[in-house]
Amino acid sequence: MLLLEVISGERLPKPERGKMRVHKINNVNKALDFIASKGVKLVSIGAEEIVDGNAKMTLGMIWTIILRFAIQDISVEETSAKEGLLLWCQRKTAPYKNVNVQNFHISWKDGLAFNALIHRHRPELIEYDKLRKDDPVTNLNNAFEVAEKYLDIPKMLDAEDIVNTARPDEKAIMTYVSSFYHAFSGAQKAETAANRICKVLAVNQENEHLMEDYEKLASDLLEWIKRTIPWLEDRSPQKTIQEMQQKLEDFRDYRRVHKPPKVQEKCQLEINFNTLQTKLRLSNRPAFMPSEGKMVSDINNGWQHLEQAEKGYEEWLLNEIRRLERLDHLAEKFRQKASIHEAWTEGKEAMLKQKDYETATLSDIKALIRKHEAFESDLAAHQDRVEQIAAIAQELNELDYYDSPSVNARCQKICDQWDVLGSLTHSRREALEKTEKQLETIDELHLEYAKRAAPFNNWMESAMEDLQDMFIVHTIEEIEGLIAAHDQFKSTLPDADKEREAILGIQREAQRIADFNSIKLSGNNPYTSVTPQIINSKWERVQQLVPKRDHALLDEQSKQQSNEHLRRQFASQANIVGPWIQTKMEEIGRISIEMNGTLEDQLNHLKQYEQSIVDYKPNIDLLEQQHQLIQEALIFDNKHTNYTMEHIRVGWEQLLTTIARTINEVENQILTRDAKGISQEQMQEFRASFNHFDKDHGGALGPEEFKACLISLGYDVENDRQKRTGSMDTDDFRALLISTGYSLGDAEFNRIMSVVDPNNSGIVTFQAFIDFMSRETTDTDTADQVIASFKVLAGDKNYITAEELRRELPPDQAEYCIARMAPYQGPDAIPGALDYKSFSTALYGESDL
């Protein structure tokens, strides 16, 4: 009975005096009744066995008493008895090296754990650093002697027995350790206070880490935008198509490789910012204000500038390529026509300067006159070519052709020579006509031949020029038009062949007459240099060029048919993907305002929806491949669809961003609900009221809509908090407010708007609405609570020391506090004193840290 009084701390009934067996049994029964009254079940233990000296029963009862009164009431972080005591030992010995408490037997054999418990609470009693793990007997005896001498804990264990036993008795160790727990139980209050501080500091450290991550990500993204925009705004034209095509390929790499990761970074930046602000609100911390120029709005402004620069860049590249193609075509056409004209004019100036008519006979002069008439006819026929050369040169200048100076010089030379030829032709004609009266004989057949051969020769030259002319088409219709024109040209060949035979017949007739009359001709026709051999040679060349032209036109027709197939293939896929993206955007908007199931159900639904969108990515990739083929084929338009690849890319990026933002909103709502203890019914009521006043389903309320929503929920501005009247539900309360003309005061409503809309954007999102309602209805940690916790650790002093922080807090959080706490300046300050009050208020934004 004395043992029970010592362990339990309570007085038992007075025992009976006497040495008879019955007296002893009655006394033991009183003790057993007391044990039973404390809720201890004794199985198969009777007073008779105890009185008779049954050692097994007696020891079992003693262990039951110790377990009930010395161990059972131990509680550490919602664990009790043995588990609670073990957790307490692990927490207290965690900072000590060579100590790893996992049980109540072999973990204590080296004696270091006992010494660590004492040193943790009374460091002046133990020189822990001098203890050696390989000397367990000395360690154990040191701990037992110090505990008995200074802590009034009796020496219950023998050091040699513990060391020499493979597995020390668990109950004996546990009983002895419980004495330390009760001896140091006064320190539990300090530990609780330390835990509170650890929790607050951990939240603050995590928030600072998130802020640093945001600043770095924002800086990197803004730097990339700053580097990219000047590149996209550079409109410096290149001289060749190859250089411009390389620019186009660089732009495609930017769209495919460089930009998509930055889109993801921008989306992740917004999500991180929203999550950080939510965590700050939930932990009652001030809102995070990024560095100047790194706000989400700054990122969005920079991104918009990037999109604007990008929008016109690709169109400029394609226009430049078209321009250079046109320039190359015109330049080649200019060179061909100029070469033909220069070849034709070669020697003409010298011919026109001849004065052979001065010594010519009458027949010769007549021949010279008619030859000159043929030349004038030829000259007139070449007038169109000269005008075409000048027109092409002018167009090259207007299109800013890089080699315009050489083109202009060559064109000017041709024009100057043409003027000289015109002047010389006029002078020679006057000289010939002056002597024409003296000339009578004329060779009509030669003249007729010359007159007909010259235009026919010019026609053949024009035909050869047209058959070798380069062409550029972009549609089936254009190539079919060229094929039709070519077919029409081929239909004129029989008539041209007849004309050729007629011209050659004139020459044969002249030769026949000369032979018949024994006239010796000089050889060549005096009126023209176009011989039958030249006509036949050029006619043969025309015949050769016709099938080549046929082949070139058919190849181009095949190419345009292939391009048309690419257009239809892209249009078919784009007309499916475009509406699909629009439908998904509408469905996400509808999901975000519906209230089907719990927030977790909505989150799971949205994540499944997000996965279905991600699974659709191969369709976008297929469309990108088809678009790549179209661009490689230099196809610039597509009449079969209104969707461009740019529209699809923008829609796809918006879809991914929208679903990610919607998921983040629901996750933040779950964080708010769990942190503030808001029930599912309250969340649904908040959502229902919000949706009721969100008339345009835009996911945000204007000031008047927000005011009406607050009134519908029964918000009382005069008491500066929410409350409901009596037991009325929302509809009854709303009706009462309307009937009594209740309204929010301007001052109170302006205060509320400054909380839910700190940026003065004029709208209130659902997340801001939930944060406000949860903040109005729940409690959170405050600076005063943290100050009170620090005061416990400081032993009710107005300051705290670095040693006390390191003893009571984990190492990283202790160092965090020491680095940020200001020196204490009070009258009771000692060297090294730290001001924990200013530190605590700074954590909640009430002062500067």
Side-chain angles (χ1 to χ4, degrees), residues 39-53:
V40 179
K41 293 183 179 181
L42 298 174
V43 181
S44 301
I45 299 177
E48 292 78 7
E49 286 83 359
I50 304 300
V51 172
D52 293 338

Side-chain angles (χ1 to χ4, degrees), residues 465-695:
E465 183 180 342
D466 292 340
L467 289 172
Q468 297 177 85
D469 189 17
M470 295 175 60
F471 56 84
I472 297 178
V473 295
H474 298 96
T475 64
I476 287 288
E477 291 77 10
E478 292 177 358
I479 189 60
E480 288 178 348
L482 289 178
I483 291 174
H486 183 61
D487 290 340
Q488 183 179 3
F489 167 77
K490 289 193 293 184
S491 67
T492 64
L493 291 178
D495 291 338
D497 191 37
K498 292 179 180 179
E499 176 66 11
R500 181 181 67 88
E501 289 295 335
I503 293 173
L504 295 177
I506 294 173
Q507 178 64 22
R508 287 193 295 269
E509 179 66 15
Q511 186 64 43
R512 186 189 67 81
I513 294 173
D515 294 340
F516 179 79
N517 294 289
S518 300
I519 299 174
K520 186 178 181 180
L521 299 176
S522 60
N524 294 329
N525 192 319
Y527 303 111
T528 181
S529 61
V530 180
T531 65
Q533 291 78 13
I534 292 176
I535 292 177
N536 287 330
S537 175
K538 291 184 177 180
W539 178 256
E540 183 179 353
R541 179 60 178 160
V542 169
Q543 295 293 95
Q544 293 173 351
L545 291 174
V546 168
K548 290 183 178 180
R549 185 72 167 184
D550 288 334
H551 183 70
L553 291 172
L554 290 176
D555 286 347
E556 184 63 28
Q557 185 181 38
S558 176
K559 176 184 174 183
Q560 291 304 321
Q561 288 173 346
S562 175
N563 289 353
E564 183 67 11
H565 172 71
L566 291 177
R567 289 189 184 96
R568 293 181 182 274
Q569 178 179 267
F570 176 83
S572 175
Q573 182 71 4
N575 289 336
I576 294 174
V577 172
W580 183 88
I581 291 175
Q582 182 63 33
T583 300
K584 293 300 178 184
M585 289 289 289
E586 294 172 356
E587 290 177 358
I588 292 172
R590 185 167 61 254
I591 290 173
S592 65
I593 64 173
E594 291 178 350
M595 298 180 296
N596 295 328
T598 65
L599 291 176
E600 285 77 5
D601 294 338
Q602 296 177 30
L603 181 60
N604 290 334
H605 186 196
L606 285 171
K607 287 186 176 179
Q608 292 172 2
Y609 209 83
E610 181 184 36
Q611 186 58 44
S612 69
I613 292 173
V614 173
D615 292 341
Y616 198 75
K617 182 64 164 57
N619 294 282
I620 304 298
D621 295 338
L622 175 60
L623 201 59
E624 285 282 5
Q625 295 171 4
Q626 294 172 350
H627 180 65
Q628 176 71 16
L629 294 175
I630 283 181
Q631 289 200 324
E632 289 174 355
L634 297 178
I635 299 174
F636 305 114
D637 53 14
N638 194 340
K639 66 181 180 181
H640 303 295
T641 181
N642 293 326
Y643 293 101
T644 66
M645 197 63 230
E646 179 66 21
H647 294 152
I648 298 298
R649 291 191 191 108
V650 172
W652 178 252
E653 292 167 0
Q654 290 178 347
L655 179 61
L656 292 177
T657 301
T658 300
I659 188 65
R661 286 176 178 169
T662 306
I663 289 175
N664 181 248
E665 288 178 0
V666 176
E667 289 174 340
N668 287 340
Q669 292 174 26
I670 292 175
L671 283 175
T672 303
R673 181 199 66 190
D674 294 342
K676 301 300 183 179
I678 301 175
S679 66
Q680 183 65 29
E681 291 73 14
Q682 285 178 304
M683 290 295 290
Q684 290 179 346
E685 181 181 16
F686 293 158
R687 170 57 83 178
S689 298
F690 189 89
N691 288 345
H692 175 77
F693 291 98
D694 186 12
K695 302 300 183 182

Side-chain angles (χ1 to χ4, degrees), residues 141-424:
N141 285 327
N142 181 64
F144 296 162
E145 290 170 3
V146 170
E148 185 175 33
K149 183 177 180 179
Y150 296 100
L151 303 178
D152 295 327
I153 298 175
K155 187 176 180 181
M156 302 179 187
L157 304 174
D158 183 82
E160 285 74 15
D161 288 344
I162 295 176
V163 174
N164 297 327
T165 304
R167 190 177 188 273
D169 184 77
E170 184 180 48
K171 295 178 180 178
I173 298 292
M174 190 173 174
T175 302
Y176 188 63
V177 172
S178 68
S179 300
F180 285 88
Y181 175 85
H182 291 292
F184 298 133
S185 60
Q188 187 65 30
K189 184 177 180 181
E191 182 177 352
T192 302
N195 289 337
R196 175 184 288 274
I197 293 174
C198 290
K199 179 181 177 182
V200 171
L201 294 178
V203 170
N204 211 63
Q205 287 174 310
E206 181 183 2
N207 290 341
E208 287 184 357
H209 180 67
L210 290 174
M211 293 175 189
E212 292 171 359
D213 288 347
Y214 173 87
E215 290 283 339
K216 183 177 184 308
L217 190 57
S219 298
D220 293 344
L221 186 57
L222 285 170
E223 180 62 24
W224 179 82
I225 292 174
K226 184 179 179 181
R227 291 196 313 268
T228 306
I229 287 177
W231 176 67
L232 292 174
E233 290 178 342
D234 182 16
R235 299 293 192 272
S236 301
Q238 302 299 319
K239 294 182 179 181
T240 65
I241 293 179
Q242 291 75 19
E243 291 174 326
M244 289 306 299
Q245 285 177 335
Q246 183 58 48
K247 274 187 169 258
L248 181 60
E249 187 62 30
D250 293 342
F251 180 74
R252 289 171 183 163
D253 287 341
Y254 157 79
R255 294 301 304 272
R256 292 193 303 263
V257 178
H258 303 296
K259 184 182 178 184
K262 298 303 178 182
V263 173
Q264 294 297 324
E265 287 181 13
K266 178 177 177 290
C267 178
Q268 189 61 45
L269 189 71
E270 295 177 359
I271 291 173
N272 290 352
F273 182 83
N274 293 335
T275 301
L276 174 60
Q277 298 293 40
T278 299
K279 288 185 176 181
L280 290 172
R281 288 193 295 270
L282 295 179
S283 58
N284 202 22
R285 288 347 186 243
F288 169 56
M289 290 296 294
S291 303
E292 184 176 359
K294 297 180 182 178
M295 296 287 291
V296 173
S297 59
D298 297 321
I299 302 293
N300 289 332
N301 290 337
W303 194 264
Q304 289 177 1
H305 190 185
L306 177 74
E307 295 281 359
Q308 291 173 356
E310 178 184 325
K311 183 178 180 182
Y313 189 71
E314 185 175 18
E315 182 179 354
W316 173 78
L317 288 174
L318 295 175
N319 287 337
E320 276 297 301
I321 290 175
R322 293 193 192 99
R323 184 181 70 84
L324 291 174
E325 278 189 325
R326 174 66 177 165
L327 283 174
D328 285 351
H329 171 70
L330 287 175
E332 182 60 26
K333 192 171 184 177
F334 172 84
R335 285 190 288 271
Q336 286 186 359
K337 288 184 176 294
S339 297
I340 293 172
H341 177 77
E342 288 166 348
W344 177 85
T345 58
E346 186 177 358
K348 295 294 191 294
E349 186 172 346
M351 180 196 72
L352 291 173
K353 290 180 178 180
Q354 290 179 356
K355 295 184 178 181
D356 51 349
Y357 53 85
E358 292 180 352
T359 58
T361 63
L362 183 60
S363 60
D364 291 335
I365 209 68
K366 286 289 186 180
L368 290 175
I369 290 175
R370 289 177 180 144
K371 181 179 179 181
H372 188 71
E373 289 176 350
F375 173 77
E376 286 181 326
S377 177
D378 199 8
L379 186 68
H382 278 78
Q383 178 69 35
D384 290 338
R385 181 178 288 111
V386 174
E387 291 175 355
Q388 289 173 8
I389 291 172
I392 293 173
Q394 182 179 356
E395 188 172 358
L396 287 172
N397 279 282
E398 292 172 353
L399 293 177
D400 195 23
Y401 182 52
Y402 76 94
D403 198 21
S404 292
S406 64
V407 170
N408 293 336
R410 191 173 185 182
C411 180
Q412 187 62 47
K413 181 179 179 182
I414 290 173
C415 292
D416 292 344
Q417 186 184 36
W418 184 256
D419 292 338
V420 170
L421 289 176
S423 176
L424 291 175

